[in-house]
Amino acid sequence: LGSLDQGGVLFIDEVYQLKPNSNQMGGSIMDYLLTEMEDRRGKLAVVIAGYQKPIEEEVMTYNEGLPSRFPQTITFPDFSDEELCTVLLGLIDSHEPHFRLLDEKHARIAARRLGMRRGVRGFGNARTVRNLWELTLSRQSQRIIKEREDSLGSAKSSDYEIRREDLLGP
């Protein structure tokens, strides 16, 4: 924090990973942070981000003065199915090399399936979509390898097609 002598913003993502209630090092970091927040009042803004429940349980219970040091809370709702689909289609469209989704309805089905995970610990909106995209690419490459093995080297489809089974699974 020495570089913040003149003030600034300290952004801490997934602050609950410090586990100040059960980890001595995490507790020391929180104690230091509390001191700096008080000593630099009006100069230093501290923003913590992450899942609401772990922040409340793992961090805000560490010190009874912590909640009052974070008087503003902004809660971002999980993406809708439509927004998840938009992110997925954007990933497909922006990927290099360019892939072609054979039927856009499969993206809507995938987004609806992802949306069913809202509220489950670890659901991460765009990160969840990105994980699906990486799984899709893995399935697609495995499918192409199998097709080439089955047809003795001649490909049955484009290397850049994304089929239903690639996106939605078997």
Side-chain angles (χ1 to χ4, degrees):
L1 291 177
S3 64
L4 295 176
D5 287 335
Q6 301 301 312
V9 177
L10 176 62
F11 181 87
I12 307 171
D13 196 10
E14 298 185 8
V15 68
Y16 37 79
Q17 290 187 1
L18 293 172
K19 298 186 183 295
N21 290 317
S22 60
N23 177 339
Q24 185 177 3
M25 177 75 77
S28 295
I29 291 169
M30 288 306 297
D31 291 339
Y32 181 75
L33 182 59
L34 282 166
T35 301
E36 293 299 313
M37 289 172 70
E38 191 58 40
D39 291 351
R40 297 168 197 250
R41 189 178 236 18
K43 292 181 181 179
L44 175 65
V46 177
V47 178
I48 58 175
Y51 297 109
Q52 184 175 352
K53 190 173 180 179
I55 287 176
E56 290 171 355
E57 293 173 356
E58 299 281 339
V59 179
M60 292 302 165
T61 60
Y62 174 70
N63 178 301
E64 61 188 38
L66 260 173
S68 66
R69 296 234 170 42
F70 296 95
Q72 295 180 334
T73 300
I74 301 171
T75 303
F76 296 99
D78 287 331
F79 290 177
S80 68
D81 291 355
E82 223 172 78
E83 290 168 319
L84 292 170
C85 188
T86 299
V87 171
L88 177 58
L89 292 172
L91 275 174
I92 294 169
D93 188 50
S94 66
H95 192 275
E96 289 289 337
H98 291 289
F99 284 87
R100 185 172 61 89
L101 183 61
L102 292 184
D103 193 336
E104 196 171 304
K105 78 177 176 188
H106 298 138
R108 291 190 300 275
I109 293 167
R112 193 174 29 227
R113 286 182 181 177
L114 291 177
M116 292 168 47
R117 295 192 207 160
R118 280 184 206 90
V120 173
R121 189 175 179 121
F123 180 80
N125 288 318
R127 182 179 60 242
T128 300
V129 174
R130 188 177 57 242
N131 291 342
L132 171 66
W133 176 238
E134 290 169 2
L135 177 61
T136 298
L137 291 176
S138 175
R139 286 179 186 145
Q140 189 256 10
S141 63
Q142 290 171 11
R143 174 182 54 79
I144 289 174
I145 289 168
K146 184 171 181 353
E147 283 179 359
R148 288 189 178 159
E149 288 171 352
D150 291 348
S151 63
L152 300 174
S154 64
K156 292 181 183 178
S157 64
S158 165
D159 289 349
Y160 302 106
E161 283 181 356
I162 299 296
R163 295 183 182 173
R164 181 204 150 286
E165 62 268 23
D166 301 331
L167 188 59
L168 301 176

